[in-house]
Amino acid sequence: MSTVTAFYPIGTPGIPWGEVERAEWVSRQTRQRSYESEVLSVIERLRSRFDVEEFGRLDYGPDTYPLMAIRSRDWRDDLPVVLITGGVHGYETSGVHGALQFVDQRAEDYAGRVNLLVAPCVSPWAYERIHRWNPHAVDPNRSFRDDSPAEEAAALMRLVAPVRDRVLMHMDLHETTDTDESEFRPALAALEGNPFEPGEIPDGFYLVDDSENPHSEFQQKVIEAVEQVTHIAPADDNGEILGSTMAARGVIQYPLKQLGLCASVTNAPYRTTTEVYPDSPRATPEQCNAAQVAAVCAGIDYALAHQ
């Protein structure tokens, strides 16, 4: 479990943030890595094998970020669609690079069987600053709803809208990190004017199923595949992961649509959110990316076998 801060350094305890606090927060954010060199350059190299499109552009002056999607070159209207999203939380690195690694190494295995639509980095401003929120201190992964307050979420919803009812599987690639407990949850509590209640970060991979439309067997097939790459998170002493009762080994459930989560953007019968734990002493960055790839492939294989 990570070290936690008793009080977040922005705002007044018990009082929600206003514009002054949000401005102070964004002034503290600094670019720590490059979306252009680490993500866009990789996508550019994939153009020879896949169709690449810009589905939106974020203008966060002075910075502008093109939002990019990768599609199967052999797109056919008679095939089901598989949607893969990463980097909805920009700091969750293997979500981005796992999605790109899947496209590079495994996507062509599914040619002629599914149409693949991959948005590998939904939140590039946050990717560069290794943060959860966009520059308005808005969490894109609570913003997938009508009149979204996050342009990242709105742009992805526009991209997906034409195929929303044809998606067979949607997998949203995430991480749970030690900084969830040391930075992001304390920041959220401060923003909302709530006291911060420390929790425990699970050591290992887990999935988030939809409590309103659960598919236990699908989730377990993904868990079994990922277990060949990295370890699965155990429940804590209360039989929970992050305060949620385990529905099955390595699986918890959230009401995806109610919470405005990315995994709710389609009507796919098979959908899940992956959660890799990159801070474990038992996992390397390469394992984290490979775990995301294994999850995607296992999910597609199961969905195709049970469509």
Side-chain angles (χ1 to χ4, degrees), residues 138-161:
V138 171
D139 185 343
N141 204 36
R142 296 297 185 275
S143 304
F144 287 90
R145 50 172 56 93
D146 293 341
D147 301 319
S148 175
E151 178 55 29
E152 296 86 350
L156 184 67
M157 288 189 289
R158 289 193 296 269
L159 172 72
V160 171

Side-chain angles (χ1 to χ4, degrees), residues 93-148:
T93 306
S94 73
V96 177
H97 293 288
L100 291 170
Q101 186 170 311
F102 164 75
V103 174
D104 183 38
Q105 297 181 356
R106 297 299 307 273
E108 288 167 322
D109 296 348
Y110 298 98
R113 301 168 64 196
V114 297
N115 299 315
L116 292 171
L117 177 58
V118 182
C121 189
V122 175
S123 298
W125 184 91
Y127 176 84
E128 290 197 330
R129 286 151 185 86
I130 313 183
H131 213 282
R132 186 180 184 92
W133 298 339
N134 72 14
H136 303 298
V138 171
D139 185 343
N141 204 36
R142 296 297 185 275
S143 304
F144 287 90
R145 50 172 56 93
D146 293 341
D147 301 319
S148 175

Side-chain angles (χ1 to χ4, degrees), residues 179-192:
T179 49
D180 287 5
E181 193 70 9
S182 62
E183 167 63 23
F184 302 122
R185 291 186 63 246
L188 177 62
L191 180 144
E192 295 178 341

Side-chain angles (χ1 to χ4, degrees), residues 152-254:
E152 296 86 350
L156 184 67
M157 288 189 289
R158 289 193 296 269
L159 172 72
V160 171
V163 297
R164 186 171 183 269
D165 295 330
R166 293 175 49 205
V167 175
L168 176 65
M169 186 198 83
H170 176 198
M171 193 169 288
D172 189 30
L173 310 183
H174 282 255
E175 293 183 341
T176 299
T177 71
D178 285 348
T179 49
D180 287 5
E181 193 70 9
S182 62
E183 167 63 23
F184 302 122
R185 291 186 63 246
L188 177 62
L191 180 144
E192 295 178 341
N194 296 324
F196 172 58
E197 299 180 1
E200 182 177 342
I201 298 298
D203 182 355
F205 179 93
Y206 65 98
L207 294 171
V208 182
D209 195 3
D210 186 2
S211 61
E212 297 171 332
N213 187 28
H215 277 282
S216 179
E217 187 177 62
F218 167 71
Q219 309 291 333
Q220 283 304 304
K221 289 300 181 183
V222 174
I223 289 291
E224 290 169 11
V226 171
E227 193 170 23
Q228 305 307 308
V229 178
T230 192
H231 58 291
I232 306 305
D236 62 19
D237 292 341
N238 296 318
E240 299 175 337
I241 290 178
L242 294 177
S244 295
T245 301
M246 290 235 296
R249 191 172 73 97
V251 181
I252 61 174
Q253 297 178 347
Y254 289 165

Side-chain angles (χ1 to χ4, degrees), residues 273-286:
T273 302
T274 66
E275 294 287 355
V276 168
Y277 180 49
D279 297 313
S280 173
R282 301 165 59 192
T284 64
E286 292 75 21

